[in-house]
Amino acid sequence: DTLVLAGSVPGSVVQDIYRRILETLDGRGIRFVVDATRELLLEVLPYHPFLIKPNQQELGELFGRELTDGRDVALYARKLQEMGAQNVLVSRGGKGALLVTAEGEVLTAPAAVGTVRNTVGAGDSMVAGFLFGWFRRGDYRYALRCGIAAGGATAFSDELASREDFLSLLNGPV
């Protein structure tokens, strides 16, 4: 089973809810994926999430740095691994994405090609696409390609990506 925790937490909910959820489910064979910012993300690292997905700006904010190139992004993504994350997927907007795998390999992919219409949900779509690719083939390169395609398909749409738009980007030049 896989549990995806994404986004911010409403003020009416305890702010360490993600940590509490992972603490409760720890040791039950559930794969955790977390797409959150600041403390929400840092607090779950001791539970060794399978995947975390900060964007480049969020990654820099975690360490009080402005990250400008892929080397910096990879360095700080590795720091999140040292803190407990297994795989770190960093979305980089028009620069594509960078993945540091559980095996320590750094993979990059350029952004999908298209006209950005709305970025709301693009990060969530990237996570969904990555998981789709991972579950389909168990291959990080393919999972990264699927993540880029799904995130791009949402960014190039007025709403969430359609299956057709995702497949078009996946099978086209990415």
Side-chain angles (χ1 to χ4, degrees):
D1 290 338
T2 300
L3 172 65
V4 177
L5 299 173
S8 58
V9 176
S12 60
V13 175
V14 292
Q15 293 303 297
D16 65 345
I17 189 66
Y18 286 2
R19 181 194 58 77
R20 290 180 185 206
I21 292 169
L22 270 58
E23 180 180 50
T24 300
L25 298 175
D26 192 36
R28 296 186 185 191
I30 298 171
R31 182 181 292 114
F32 303 121
V33 176
V34 181
D35 180 5
T37 60
R38 297 185 184 90
E39 286 75 29
L40 279 173
L41 181 63
L42 293 175
E43 290 177 346
V44 302
L45 295 177
Y47 300 98
H48 307 288
F50 170 73
L51 178 71
I52 60 172
K53 197 221 64 70
N55 66 37
Q56 182 170 317
Q57 180 180 343
E58 293 164 346
L59 179 62
E61 288 172 357
L62 288 172
F63 294 99
R65 304 266 190 233
E66 183 176 339
L67 307 180
T68 57
D69 63 42
R71 287 186 307 269
D72 287 342
V73 172
L75 173 72
Y76 287 97
R78 286 184 193 278
K79 288 185 183 292
L80 289 176
Q81 282 185 312
E82 292 168 9
M83 297 167 72
Q86 294 177 47
N87 299 286
V88 181
L89 175 59
V90 182
S91 54
R92 303 185 66 212
K95 295 178 182 176
L98 180 143
L99 173 68
V100 180
T101 71
E103 290 78 25
E105 188 175 10
V106 176
L107 305 175
T108 60
V113 177
T115 302
V116 175
R117 293 164 68 175
N118 180 13
T119 59
V120 174
D124 296 324
S125 294
M126 177 179 270
V127 169
F130 180 91
L131 291 173
F132 167 83
W134 178 256
F135 292 138
R136 176 161 276 198
R137 294 193 186 168
D139 175 82
Y140 286 117
R141 289 181 196 284
Y142 181 70
L144 181 57
R145 280 188 55 225
C146 289
I148 290 284
T154 289
F156 305 153
S157 170
D158 290 327
E159 299 186 14
L160 290 176
S162 69
R163 182 177 194 272
E164 294 76 25
D165 291 340
F166 163 70
L167 291 174
S168 175
L169 287 174
L170 180 63
N171 296 323
V174 175

